[in-house]
């Protein structure tokens, strides 16, 4: 391939786990790749996670499918990339708290199993065997998904980045994009100008702003998020699985002698932190009565890339934006979806049909879900 210092076939904007996965999968296929990251690789949203991923998203079969399709790559990562992710079994326990909710979730289980998710329906007593801190009187039923894992996000990013560079991709950190012309593929940056046959917007919370540079609307924005941890609640490690209450969005996970706590409530409103924190404080003892007087403290605060549907935007622009591909808005689930997203963008660039229905991840679907 000719040496084209400031020219490339595919230019990727964003060096989080999604961007480096795309770089790796495309470079592996012999595509000339340049990746631009304004900070350091994986230091924005990728590093701001619970360091875990799951394959089951109760009401979103399409999200479960992406995660299930990514699982094999996680399991073979250490061997293929020579990078240890410290992959450790965690498991996901989804707690259902009313007959109506249980019926709704149970009705979707066959569809999730069909896309490759391993699931088992549990009674309240069985759920408490997995997480003895729960109150069985509040549980109608539960769903157990063993395919949820802890891992090192920084190792995942480094593994993809190193492998992409070995395959010839050029990964440039400390480079801010200042202009983007979809018609010509010209990208202006603080490191000079580049020209690409196609440009991938994978800039996390900033993807909407990058798209605006070329007059394209990507309905994705940055939203404040926070993970909390309790005071120590046990003399030994709690070792509980990832436990999710869809009724409120409460998420917990054993972390040493404490619980890691999250609340899956997303709002575009500013100044919501105090309200959100109080909601988490109020929600925890509803389902964990033994934790009623336990203090909560901030584990980290950060920004998630969010869309109206709370599912990612993955696809290709149309008309004058045909050169633009995009993969953003993963709402904290980028780790679970990164491997398959890299392969999907490769297929879209090549003009091949991805083996996944992308309509739930389209701009049109997300624009339709925007509040009027």
């Amino acid at each position: 391939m000719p040496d084209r210092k400031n020219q490339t076939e595919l230019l990727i904007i964003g060096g989080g786990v999604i961007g480096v996965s795309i770089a790796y999968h495309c470079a592996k296929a012999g595509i000339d790749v340049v990746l631009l990251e304004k900070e350091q690789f994986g230091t924005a949203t990728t590093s701001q996670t619970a360091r875990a991923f799951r394959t089951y998203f109760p009401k979103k079969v399409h999200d479960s499918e992406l995660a299930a399709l990514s699982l094999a790559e996680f399991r073979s990562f250490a061997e293929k990339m020579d990078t240890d992710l410290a992959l450790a079994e965690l498991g996901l326990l989804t707690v259902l708290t009313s007959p109506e909710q249980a019926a709704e979730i149970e009705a979707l289980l066959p569809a999730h199993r069909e896309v490759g998710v391993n699931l088992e329906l549990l009674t309240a007593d069985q759920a408490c065997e997995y997480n003895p801190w729960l109150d069985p009187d509040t549980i109608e039923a539960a769903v157990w998904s063993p395919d949820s894992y802890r891992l090192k996000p920084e190792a995942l990013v480094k593994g993809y980045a190193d492998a992409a560079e070995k395959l010839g991709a050029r990964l440039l950190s400390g480079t801010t994009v200042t202009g983007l012309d979809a018609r010509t593929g010209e990208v202006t940056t603080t490191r000079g100008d580049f020209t690409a046959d196609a440009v991938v917007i994978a800039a996390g919370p900033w993807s909407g702003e990058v798209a605006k540079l070329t007059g394209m609307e990507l309905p994705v924005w940055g939203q404040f998020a926070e993970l909390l941890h309790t005071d120590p609640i046990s003399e030994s490690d709690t070792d509980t699985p990832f436990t999710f209450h869809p009724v409120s969005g409460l998420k917990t996970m054993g972390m040493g002698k404490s619980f890691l706590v999250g609340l899956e409530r997303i709002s575009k409103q500013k100044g919501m932190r105090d309200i959100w924190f109080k909601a988490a404080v109020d929600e925890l003892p509803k389902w964990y009565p033994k934790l009623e007087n336990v203090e909560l403290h901030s584990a980290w605060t950060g920004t998630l890339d969010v869309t109206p549907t709370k599912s990612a935007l993955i696809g290709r622009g149309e008309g004058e934006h045909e050169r633009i591909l995009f993969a953003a808005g993963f709402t904290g689930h980028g780790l679970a979806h990164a491997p398959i997203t890299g392969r999907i963008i490769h297929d879209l660039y090549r003009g091949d049909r991805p083996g996944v229905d992308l309509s739930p991840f389209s701009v049109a679907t997300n624009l339709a879900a925007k509040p009027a």
Side-chain angles (χ1 to χ4, degrees), residues 19 22 77 129 179 200 208 217 251-253 264 285 300 316 328 368:
I22 295 167
F77 202 88
E129 290 179 15
V200 182
E217 182 178 5
K251 299 177 287 186
T252 65
M253 186 172 69
E264 205 168 82
W300 65 256
R316 184 169 203 147

Side-chain angles (χ1 to χ4, degrees), residues 337-350:
H337 295 159
I340 187 61
T341 300
R343 301 200 294 272
I344 289 170
I345 294 298
H346 161 268
D347 291 343
L348 292 175
Y349 173 76
R350 289 293 199 200

Side-chain angles (χ1 to χ4, degrees), residues 45 54 57 60 63 220-221 223 251 264-266 303-313 328-334 337 366:
T45 54
R54 54 178 163 134
F57 297 81
K60 296 185 175 183
D63 280 343
V220 55
W221 64 89
Q223 172 62 43
K251 299 177 287 186
E264 205 168 82
R265 292 182 181 176
I266 305 296
T303 305
L304 296 181
D305 51 333
V306 179
T307 68
T309 63
K310 313 302 185 289
S311 290
L313 283 159
F330 288 83
T331 317
H333 306 308
H337 295 159
N366 276 276

Side-chain angles (χ1 to χ4, degrees), residues 189-258:
T189 81
T190 53
R191 194 186 280 246
D193 299 344
F194 295 80
T195 302
D197 297 337
V199 176
V200 182
I201 299 175
W206 302 278
S207 296
E209 296 303 312
V210 173
K212 283 180 183 177
L213 294 173
T214 190
M216 181 179 182
E217 182 178 5
L218 278 186
V220 55
W221 64 89
Q223 172 62 43
F224 166 84
E226 184 169 21
L227 280 177
L228 310 167
H229 67 87
T230 66
D231 283 335
I233 58 175
S234 173
E235 293 184 358
S236 57
D237 285 353
T238 51
D239 198 29
T240 56
F242 189 144
T243 304
F244 179 43
H245 282 76
V247 68
S248 64
L250 181 71
K251 299 177 287 186
T252 65
M253 186 172 69
M255 185 184 70
K257 297 178 181 180
S258 303

Side-chain angles (χ1 to χ4, degrees), residues 2 10 17 26 71 73 83 86 95 104 109 119 130 135 137 142 164 177 183 210 226 244 260 286 304 331 340:
L10 188 69
V17 68
C26 290
L71 190 55
E73 192 159 307
T83 301
V95 180
E104 180 185 17
L109 294 184
L119 299 170
Y130 282 105
D135 178 2
D137 292 339
V177 172
R183 184 180 56 83
V210 173
E226 184 169 21
F244 179 43
L260 191 66
K286 287 182 184 178
L304 296 181
T331 317
I340 187 61

Side-chain angles (χ1 to χ4, degrees), residues 6 25 66 94 120 159 269 296 301 350 363:
N6 287 336
H25 285 97
L66 293 192
T94 301
E120 180 185 355
Q269 227 174 314
L296 288 176
T301 58
R350 289 293 199 200
V363 171

Side-chain angles (χ1 to χ4, degrees), residues 1-175:
M1 185 169 294
D3 180 21
R4 304 190 300 170
K5 182 178 179 182
N6 287 336
Q7 295 183 331
T8 187
E9 291 179 284
L10 188 69
L11 186 143
I12 303 163
I13 302 171
V17 68
I18 299 298
V20 294
S21 171
I22 295 167
Y24 164 72
H25 285 97
C26 290
K28 184 181 177 183
I31 299 168
D32 186 27
V33 173
V34 169
L35 184 149
L36 307 178
E37 164 57 40
K38 68 176 183 176
E39 297 175 358
Q40 296 297 315
F41 302 119
T43 58
T45 54
T46 301
S47 63
Q48 299 168 2
T49 70
R51 308 179 73 79
F53 73 91
R54 54 178 163 134
T55 57
Y56 176 48
F57 297 81
K59 295 184 181 181
K60 296 185 175 183
V61 176
H62 53 280
D63 280 343
S64 293
E65 182 179 20
L66 293 192
L69 289 170
S70 293
L71 190 55
E73 192 159 307
F74 285 115
R75 288 172 170 163
S76 64
F77 202 88
E79 180 183 353
K80 290 184 177 179
M81 305 292 196
D82 195 28
T83 301
D84 183 11
L85 298 180
L87 201 66
E89 294 181 358
L90 176 63
L92 169 67
L93 184 67
T94 301
V95 180
L96 312 175
T97 55
S98 71
E100 296 78 15
Q101 184 191 45
E104 180 185 17
I105 297 301
E106 286 176 37
L108 290 171
L109 294 184
H112 286 279
R113 291 186 177 117
E114 191 173 330
V115 299
V117 184
N118 186 9
L119 299 170
E120 180 185 355
L121 189 63
L122 305 179
T123 64
D125 288 341
Q126 289 172 321
C128 291
E129 290 179 15
Y130 282 105
N131 187 342
W133 292 86
L134 289 166
D135 178 2
D137 292 339
T138 65
I139 302 173
E140 179 70 24
V143 178
W144 174 248
S145 172
D147 294 330
S148 178
Y149 298 85
R150 300 180 195 266
L151 82 170
K152 293 181 177 178
E154 64 276 10
L156 185 63
V157 171
K158 187 176 187 305
Y160 275 138
D162 289 350
E165 288 188 313
K166 286 177 183 176
L167 291 165
R170 290 166 284 168
L171 276 60
L172 307 175
S173 60
T175 307

